[in-house]
Amino acid sequence: MDEADLFLWEARLYDFDKADPIAQDLSKRGLACVTLRIRFPSDFPSQPPFVRVLRPRMKAGTGFVMRGGGICMELLTPQGWSPATSLNAVIMSVRSMLLCEPAARLANTARDAREHDYDEEEGRRDATFIERTHSKHGWTNHKMFKTS
């Protein structure tokens, strides 16, 4: 990380329960953690941080992680954000979302897998899609968001 950019942070999520699908996939792959990238806006805490998965790449549609590493969570949108929310609460909420059904899975569990990190542009596209979709349909009332 560039220590000159105090608006850009990384968080690593370790120690998932061995029964969790993400823990099993990380173990198969020989990885210790899921890395998040957090970019704070200049008007933080009035606006939410931009949080996305950096690595490893996730299986699309699992753990509320989008194809570009964006995280589908109301808390991370301007409408769902509260300036009183601590960074610790944000990180713990993201960790919890990875375990929600359908639980997060890695896109590739081969030990020798080589894949690039999600980039910020991919995550920003996801964030735009998430905000547009949920501002149109809400967060829980539309049938496309229901799971059986």
Side-chain angles (χ1 to χ4, degrees), residues 25-91:
D25 286 358
L26 288 168
S27 178
K28 287 178 190 173
R29 181 83 178 272
L31 299 174
C33 65
V34 172
T35 303
L36 305 177
R37 182 67 54 93
I38 304 166
R39 180 169 293 283
F40 295 94
S42 59
D43 55 351
F44 180 81
S46 297
Q47 292 296 313
F50 174 55
V51 182
R52 63 187 174 88
V53 173
L54 179 63
R55 73 179 76 88
R57 294 184 81 83
M58 300 289 168
K59 184 176 181 181
T62 65
F64 296 89
V65 178
M66 307 292 288
R67 290 190 187 278
I71 300 166
C72 187
M73 177 184 281
E74 187 174 17
L75 172 70
L76 300 175
T77 66
Q79 299 78 18
W81 177 250
S82 168
T85 306
S86 71
L87 184 56
N88 187 53
V90 169
I91 292 169

Side-chain angles (χ1 to χ4, degrees), residues 105-120:
R105 303 302 302 250
L106 299 190
N108 190 336
T109 57
R111 279 213 181 252
D112 61 348
R114 300 284 182 246
E115 60 190 16
H116 65 279
D117 292 346
Y118 292 108
D119 65 40
E120 188 163 345

Side-chain angles (χ1 to χ4, degrees), residues 94-131:
V94 170
R95 181 185 175 90
S96 294
M97 287 292 285
L98 294 175
L99 304 175
C100 290
E101 289 298 323
R105 303 302 302 250
L106 299 190
N108 190 336
T109 57
R111 279 213 181 252
D112 61 348
R114 300 284 182 246
E115 60 190 16
H116 65 279
D117 292 346
Y118 292 108
D119 65 40
E120 188 163 345
E121 185 178 323
E122 289 178 291
R124 294 260 180 219
R125 277 194 306 264
D126 287 347
T128 299
F129 174 80
I130 290 164
E131 287 185 40

